[in-house]
Amino acid sequence: MFLVQDNQLPKVETRLFINGEWTTGGLDQTKEVINPATKEVVAKVSQAGEEETKQAIQAAKEAFPKWRALELKERVSILRKISQLIEEKADDLAKIMTLEQGKPLKEAKEEVLSGVETFLFAAEEARRLYGERIPAPNNHNYIVKKEPIGVVAAITPWNFPSGMVTRKLSPALAAGNTVVLKPSSDTPLSAIAFFEIAKKAGVPDGVVNLVMGDSTVIGETLTASDDVRKLTFTGSTAVGKLLFNQSGDTLKKISFELGGHAPFIVFDDADLEEAASYLIAAKFNNNGQVCIAPNRIFVDKRVKDEFTNLVLEKVKGLKVGNGLGNVDIGPLIREDAIGKIESQLADAEEKGADILIGGNRLRGGEYDKGYYFEPTILDQVTQKMNIFYEETFGPVIPLISFKTEEEAVKMANDCEFGLASYFFTKDIRRVEEVSDQLEYGMVGVNEIAISNAETPFGGVKHSGFGRENGHYGLEEYTQVKFVNVRY
Ligand code: NAP
């Protein structure tokens, strides 16, 4: 079936990283990291509890004054060095990611290389963290400074185990903050590999700290601490709400990148072939386990059959298997991911939807060893079905037809989330009007590439607040100080 020659894990640490040292911590516990392609144990990583998390916070607190005061050009040079080392180690980093997360090696490498860009961008942008001088009364100088916030707690998900780490740590460090990171228990190795790089690049002790372990304990310790002044979280909306409430007592500055349920609208004047190709690329990236994956495909009734056939032919050509082999799609992350898709499909079928292709767990041979699901097209989807409203984290394309532009926009906005949206058209009036009307933080018009080092990434409504990437991303890690000088 899918031939995998070499599934050896590249050499990587498995311990916590606190105050510049690798440590097993006092708990003396480890947790297995499982390869979703084979269910084999990839590694066992050390676990932190409340004590280790407090030590990490303390280390970050003590390191802050020095890191903040470091000559800008030295900070910039360390950030550049991190970027360079990520690039040099990209093949190993990609393999580590595929082994713990499952995505095809090619996608893993693209994700790793996005970290090269974000660190370079942060290094450049650190030099442009301009403040302001505001016209003032005589004998006065009004100065506005942008300062680092202090200790940042960062919590990241499993679907982009490297990209979410580099996207948070690069601006946090560039702005002069120190960090305690808690990655997902499913994919800690990519984060650990990043910390190896940070140490090698010369990041001073205590500036970056890594704790893995029980997320409730670590989350409560981080949010309860008054020394942690900023929380940045990417993950589900449910956990985001919990962390928001937990952070109330210590009034932290917060940025949240939460769930999404992106609409993808195909108007009758769209280039259908192009729209179908982009849909396949965006939908099956990381097996649909992406917050900006198109999850509700609205197609003008007049072009629906033609568009559906184009998509169907492309789906037939997709190869599913172990991400280390030559495949388009890897496994899902865990057993419960399959359960969620099966339940959404069963509900939709019961309420009148048709499965045009796929719809089942893949079985037989190597497939029995991992969490594999067929790429699926679900037709005749309506607002009565759970899949219309619940985030789909899997390889399912739900098709919905519409008659008018107004109807399409109304259905697209009928959603608690507001992260990414896409539409395809050649009509310039529609480009303006529909992108205004969509209640989303990002809109791709005849395009799916909405995540770049330079551009603001983030959502509205239950998708969270704050932005990552671009100068907007950097500013999330600063606070404004006004100084009024009388001379
Ligand atoms: P998740 O269950 O919310 O977990 C995210 C992170 O939060 C993990 O590190 C997890 O740790 C931790 N966590 C879980 N419960 C916690 C608690 N009580 N206190 C503190 N931390 C806690 O989400 P996921 O399943 O990993 O990721 C998928 C979700 O992320 C989707 O909803 C997706 O849309 C969203 N996402 C959003 C974006 C965006 O930019 N908007 C990007 C990527 C993903 P453990 O793994 O150790 O439990």
Side-chain angles (χ1 to χ4, degrees):
M1 196 184 296
F2 32 82
L3 203 60
V4 174
Q5 306 281 7
D6 168 20
N7 63 354
Q8 278 300 97
L9 179 71
K11 199 168 169 298
V12 64
E13 258 294 344
T14 52
R15 291 174 290 175
L16 315 170
F17 188 71
I18 298 175
N19 205 17
E21 300 290 339
W22 294 102
T23 168
T24 51
L27 278 187
D28 203 25
Q29 285 172 10
T30 57
K31 185 171 189 299
E32 293 177 343
V33 180
I34 305 294
N35 181 346
T38 59
K39 299 186 200 166
E40 285 166 354
V41 177
V42 180
K44 292 178 182 176
V45 300
S46 300
Q47 298 290 283
E50 185 181 345
E51 189 48 42
E52 290 74 17
T53 307
K54 283 183 172 167
Q55 286 167 10
I57 296 169
Q58 186 61 24
K61 184 184 175 186
E62 285 170 16
F64 175 58
K66 265 200 186 159
W67 178 247
R68 163 190 193 161
L70 195 69
E71 280 296 341
L72 180 61
K73 69 176 185 189
E74 286 180 45
R75 201 191 300 157
V76 166
S77 140
I78 291 174
L79 298 174
R80 280 217 194 107
K81 183 77 186 165
I82 294 177
S83 171
Q84 181 201 328
L85 291 175
I86 295 176
E87 194 161 21
E88 280 173 24
K89 290 211 62 161
D91 286 325
D92 277 358
L93 296 172
K95 193 170 178 198
I96 290 169
M97 194 191 309
T98 295
L99 281 166
E100 67 175 348
Q101 202 273 347
K103 68 179 66 176
L105 212 45
K106 188 165 78 66
E107 282 181 26
K109 186 151 176 196
E110 274 168 23
E111 182 183 336
V112 166
L113 293 178
S114 76
V116 173
E117 290 303 313
T118 43
F119 264 92
L120 262 191
F121 183 84
E124 292 160 0
E125 207 63 13
R127 297 184 191 276
R128 289 188 280 272
L129 251 185
Y130 303 130
E132 211 178 345
R133 184 161 181 258
I134 294 175
N138 287 342
N139 305 333
H140 285 74
N141 200 354
Y142 284 173
I143 304 165
V144 179
K145 299 180 176 185
K146 285 184 189 162
E147 299 189 332
I149 304 170
V151 178
V152 172
I155 302 180
T156 50
W158 52 264
N159 58 347
F160 290 94
S162 163
M164 295 299 112
V165 172
T166 49
R167 198 188 255 196
K168 291 186 187 312
L169 267 58
S170 54
L173 296 178
N177 303 278
T178 56
V179 181
V180 178
L181 171 76
K182 194 217 86 67
S184 165
S185 314
D186 292 318
T187 56
L189 298 173
S190 297
I192 294 178
F194 171 81
F195 276 70
E196 288 184 321
I197 284 176
K199 188 170 169 71
K200 204 165 164 200
V203 175
D205 293 352
V207 171
V208 290
N209 303 273
L210 172 69
V211 287
M212 298 152 306
D214 184 316
S215 50
T216 306
V217 173
I218 296 176
E220 282 173 359
T221 312
L222 291 171
T223 49
S225 170
D226 244 321
D227 291 328
V228 173
R229 295 312 316 145
K230 155 98 190 177
L231 170 67
T232 169
F233 169 74
T234 297
S236 61
T237 296
V239 174
K241 287 178 184 174
L242 183 82
L243 291 170
F244 183 86
N245 289 328
Q246 281 178 204
S247 301
D249 272 351
T250 51
L251 285 177
K252 297 185 200 319
K253 181 163 178 169
I254 293 178
S255 40
F256 278 168
E257 301 287 350
L258 308 177
H261 203 38
F264 186 105
I265 310 173
V266 182
F267 288 104
D268 62 337
D269 62 340
D271 179 330
L272 296 185
E273 170 59 39
E274 196 176 79
S277 297
Y278 276 137
L279 174 62
I280 297 294
K283 177 73 237 186
F284 296 108
N285 177 35
N286 200 9
N287 209 353
Q289 303 170 113
V290 181
C291 53
I292 58 171
N295 276 352
R296 295 168 301 143
I297 320 306
F298 300 100
V299 191
D300 188 304
K301 221 174 166 37
R302 287 164 286 201
V303 295
K304 171 94 180 328
D305 289 347
E306 191 183 342
F307 183 73
T308 303
N309 286 333
L310 285 168
V311 176
L312 192 59
E313 283 313 307
K314 291 179 195 299
V315 168
K316 282 181 193 163
L318 294 171
K319 222 159 103 190
V320 184
N322 188 321
L324 293 177
N326 182 22
V327 297
D328 303 301
I329 302 176
L332 290 156
I333 188 74
R334 291 183 306 261
E335 186 64 41
D336 59 336
I338 291 191
K340 183 176 176 194
I341 296 167
E342 285 174 340
S343 119
Q344 283 189 345
L345 291 178
D347 169 80
E349 269 194 298
E350 196 188 305
K351 293 171 184 163
D354 295 329
I355 292 177
L356 301 185
I357 188 171
N360 295 300
R361 183 181 194 138
L362 280 156
R363 296 198 187 274
E366 294 292 313
Y367 287 136
D368 286 340
K369 295 186 187 161
Y371 307 117
Y372 295 100
F373 203 88
E374 293 174 323
T376 300
I377 301 179
L378 188 65
D379 199 10
Q380 311 294 342
V381 170
T382 69
Q383 281 154 297
K384 292 197 181 91
M385 302 168 189
N386 295 340
I387 201 163
F388 192 96
Y389 296 105
E390 277 177 16
E391 188 177 30
T392 317
F393 240 46
V396 183
I397 292 182
L399 295 171
I400 303 142
S401 53
F402 67 86
K403 285 195 187 130
T404 64
E405 180 179 309
E406 194 189 359
E407 187 193 6
V409 172
K410 198 168 168 211
M411 282 199 287
N413 285 338
D414 181 15
C415 178
E416 67 170 333
F417 301 107
L419 190 61
S421 57
Y422 310 89
F423 65 93
F424 286 72
T425 183
K426 291 186 194 128
D427 178 340
I428 192 152
R429 174 207 56 83
R430 197 174 255 163
V431 169
E432 280 301 309
E433 290 189 6
V434 174
S435 51
D436 276 355
Q437 289 159 4
L438 286 170
E439 295 163 3
Y440 290 83
M442 295 171 287
V443 187
V445 186
N446 301 322
E447 181 52 271
I448 52 168
I450 50 171
S451 178
N452 314 291
E454 310 81 6
T455 55
F457 186 101
V460 297
K461 293 159 77 178
H462 286 222
S463 292
F465 44 80
R467 291 293 178 268
E468 295 194 307
N469 291 345
H471 70 84
Y472 296 93
L474 194 59
E475 280 168 21
E476 297 285 339
Y477 295 92
T478 67
Q479 57 198 5
V480 166
K481 180 182 277 175
F482 167 56
V483 182
N484 182 358
V485 182
R486 184 170 63 81
Y487 54 88

